[in-house]
């Protein structure tokens, strides 16, 4: 099926088969589709709603074409969001990555610059002095020795260059926001994945199961966050022991107080880093709780904690004992040493 045929199907609100989506995605990723066709397909898919088969098909093609990172850490976790929730919070997942590593976990973080929010993970980490220009072997060294490494998506998904223009020009969340988090170059089997729409939780966890994940939580908060929220209910679709369950949690379930998100918004990566540093120095209790809540879930899915509440306690300890702040400097120094 070519992209024109796919568009004709999708605009009639019909789903593509997994094999059809793979065919269309290969056309996009090999430069055989125009910007107009790519933009039209992405908008049509968003308006229809991406099916599980379409998500899996697209993810498989991206995985096939990516430049991998080889690591020997079976419990490595990715903490990642689709973006597009318009909440403009600080970079929660990036902050959590340092906390999880400081608590003894291993994080293979996959991310990009901002497309539809104020600051992306790459923007934040670069502001923190971390060198993003590493090759796969150097990234693997970071993950193996520091417990944390960052894989800058454009360097691993070079075929994505054909879709960059349409994505930037539209500035909207699209299929690539959904599929990107499923294409971790280190092949991790453990995920804390936030989505911008509750209806994506079940399809995303089903896609993760099909793609070989072992333990994953896909989360969406009632106020629209692609994170676990301090402010109210968070819906979870969890894959564990080959089974999928769906439930709702609150901060109280994790031993924290429910509180508003006021004061956690930022305008850019500089503000985001300042807020994270205030948390890591023990000065911003609300930010500490927000980070601990999500890092605790990551520790749980990475099999470092028996449940969410225990994970949150571990995460908070890693912040308050200075471990998370030290991990930022450690990764910055280690990654910068590869320069020159």
């Amino acid at each position: 099926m070519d992209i024109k045929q796919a568009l004709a199907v999708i605009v009639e609100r019909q789903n593509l088969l997994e094999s059809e989506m793979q065919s269309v995605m290969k056309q996009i990723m090999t430069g055989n589709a125009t910007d107009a066709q790519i933009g039209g397909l992405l908008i049509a898919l968003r308006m229809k709603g991406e099916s599980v088969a379409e998500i899996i098909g697209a993810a498989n093609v991206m995985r096939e074409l990516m430049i991998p990172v080889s690591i020997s850490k079976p419990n490595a976790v990715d903490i990642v969001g689709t973006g597009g929730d318009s909440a403009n919070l600080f970079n929660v997942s990036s902050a959590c990555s340092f906390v999880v590593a400081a608590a003894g976990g291993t994080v293979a973080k996959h991310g990009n610059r901002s497309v539809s929010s104020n600051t992306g993970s790459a923007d934040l980490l670069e502001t923190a002095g971390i060198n993003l220009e590493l090759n796969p072997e150097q990234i693997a060294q970071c993950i193996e020795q520091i417990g944390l490494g960052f894989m800058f998506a454009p360097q691993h998904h070079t075929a994505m260059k054909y879709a960059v223009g349409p994505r930037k020009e539209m500035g909207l969340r699209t299929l690539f926001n959904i599929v990107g988090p499923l294409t971790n170059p280190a092949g991790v089997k453990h995920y804390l994945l936030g989505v911008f729409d509750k209806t994506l939780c079940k399809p995303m966890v089903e896609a993760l199961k099909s793609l070989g994940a072992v333990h994953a939580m896909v989360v969406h908060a009632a106020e629209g966050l692609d994170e676990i929220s301090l402010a109210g209910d968070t819906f979870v679709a969890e894959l564990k022991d080959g089974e999928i369950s769906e439930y709702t949690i609150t901060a109280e379930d994790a031993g924290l107080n429910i509180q508003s998100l006021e004061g956690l918004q930022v305008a850019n990566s500089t503000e985001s880093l300042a807020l994270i540093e205030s948390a890591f120095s023990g000065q911003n209790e609300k930010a500490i709780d927000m980070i601990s809540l999500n890092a605790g879930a990551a520790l749980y899915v990475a099999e470092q904690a028996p449940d969410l509440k225990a994970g949150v306690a571990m995460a908070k300890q890693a912040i308050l004992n200075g471990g998370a702040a030290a991990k930022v400097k450690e990764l910055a120094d280690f990654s910068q040493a590869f320069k020159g």
Side-chain angles (χ1 to χ4, degrees):
M1 174 175 281
D2 67 26
I3 194 165
K4 288 183 180 179
Q5 293 169 322
L7 275 165
V9 172
I10 295 166
V11 295
E12 296 298 328
R13 298 192 175 275
Q14 300 297 311
N15 294 331
L16 300 181
L17 300 174
E18 184 178 323
S19 59
E20 292 171 337
M21 189 70 222
Q22 286 180 318
S23 176
V24 171
M25 196 69 170
K26 282 183 179 176
Q27 289 172 61
I28 292 172
M29 303 287 272
T30 54
N32 291 307
T34 67
D35 283 2
Q37 289 171 335
I38 295 168
L41 182 82
L42 295 176
I43 291 298
L45 281 168
R46 176 171 170 183
M47 293 180 71
K48 174 185 71 68
E50 296 86 352
S51 71
V52 175
E54 289 164 348
I55 293 168
I56 294 169
N60 273 321
V61 171
M62 286 188 67
R63 287 182 171 206
E64 178 186 330
L65 297 175
M66 73 185 179
I67 297 169
V69 172
S70 179
I71 61 173
S72 61
K73 302 286 188 179
N75 287 344
V77 63
D78 195 1
I79 310 163
V80 64
T82 56
D85 65 8
S86 303
N88 295 323
L89 294 192
F90 71 99
N91 297 87
V92 177
S93 63
S94 297
C96 289
S97 299
F98 295 109
V99 176
V100 171
T106 300
V107 183
K109 178 96 175 85
H110 180 219
N112 207 340
R113 299 195 185 281
S114 173
V115 173
S116 55
S117 60
N118 285 352
T119 174
S121 55
D123 305 306
L124 182 279
L125 295 174
E126 193 171 59
T127 302
I130 290 156
N131 179 16
L132 304 183
E133 303 294 325
L134 303 183
N135 64 39
E137 292 75 22
Q138 292 166 339
I139 295 166
Q141 285 185 55
C142 291
I143 295 169
E144 300 280 355
Q145 296 184 43
I146 307 296
L148 168 61
F150 180 74
M151 295 164 289
F152 186 34
Q155 294 175 353
H156 297 271
H157 300 285
T158 53
M160 274 289 296
K161 64 187 177 184
Y162 299 110
V164 166
R167 287 188 76 196
K168 282 189 174 178
E169 288 173 10
M170 290 188 296
L172 298 171
R173 58 180 185 250
T174 68
L175 172 71
F176 288 109
N177 291 81
I178 297 169
V179 175
L182 304 177
T183 59
N184 185 292
V188 303
K189 306 290 187 185
H190 303 260
Y191 288 86
L192 174 62
L193 198 166
V195 295
F196 56 76
D197 188 328
K198 179 182 176 181
T199 61
L200 278 173
C201 289
K202 184 74 176 295
M204 288 292 271
V205 85
E206 289 177 344
L208 281 170
K209 181 179 180 180
S210 175
L211 293 164
V214 171
H215 194 177
M217 291 173 69
V218 181
V219 303
H220 175 78
E223 59 269 31
L225 292 188
D226 64 340
E227 320 278 0
I228 304 175
S229 178
L230 285 174
D233 291 347
T234 298
F235 183 76
V236 180
E238 180 179 359
L239 168 66
K240 184 179 182 182
D241 299 327
E243 300 295 327
I244 292 172
S245 58
E246 297 175 275
Y247 53 91
T248 299
I249 58 173
T250 69
E252 288 181 333
D253 296 323
L256 300 171
N257 294 325
I258 293 176
Q259 49 194 305
S260 81
L261 301 176
E262 190 65 34
L264 300 182
Q265 293 80 16
V266 298
N268 51 51
S269 59
T270 302
E271 287 187 11
S272 185
L273 179 60
L275 196 153
I276 292 167
E277 288 176 337
S278 73
F280 285 0
S281 63
Q283 298 174 17
N284 188 325
E285 291 186 9
K286 184 182 290 188
I288 289 170
D289 282 357
M290 184 68 179
I291 296 167
S292 297
L293 181 57
N294 285 272
L299 286 163
Y300 165 58
V301 298
E303 319 299 349
Q304 301 299 305
D307 53 40
L308 175 62
K309 193 170 184 178
V312 169
M314 288 174 62
K316 185 168 279 194
Q317 179 64 19
I319 294 172
L320 296 179
N321 69 12
K327 195 60 70 174
V328 178
K329 185 178 188 306
E330 188 179 7
L331 182 60
D333 291 346
F334 193 85
S335 65
Q336 291 294 340
F338 289 114
K339 279 190 172 179

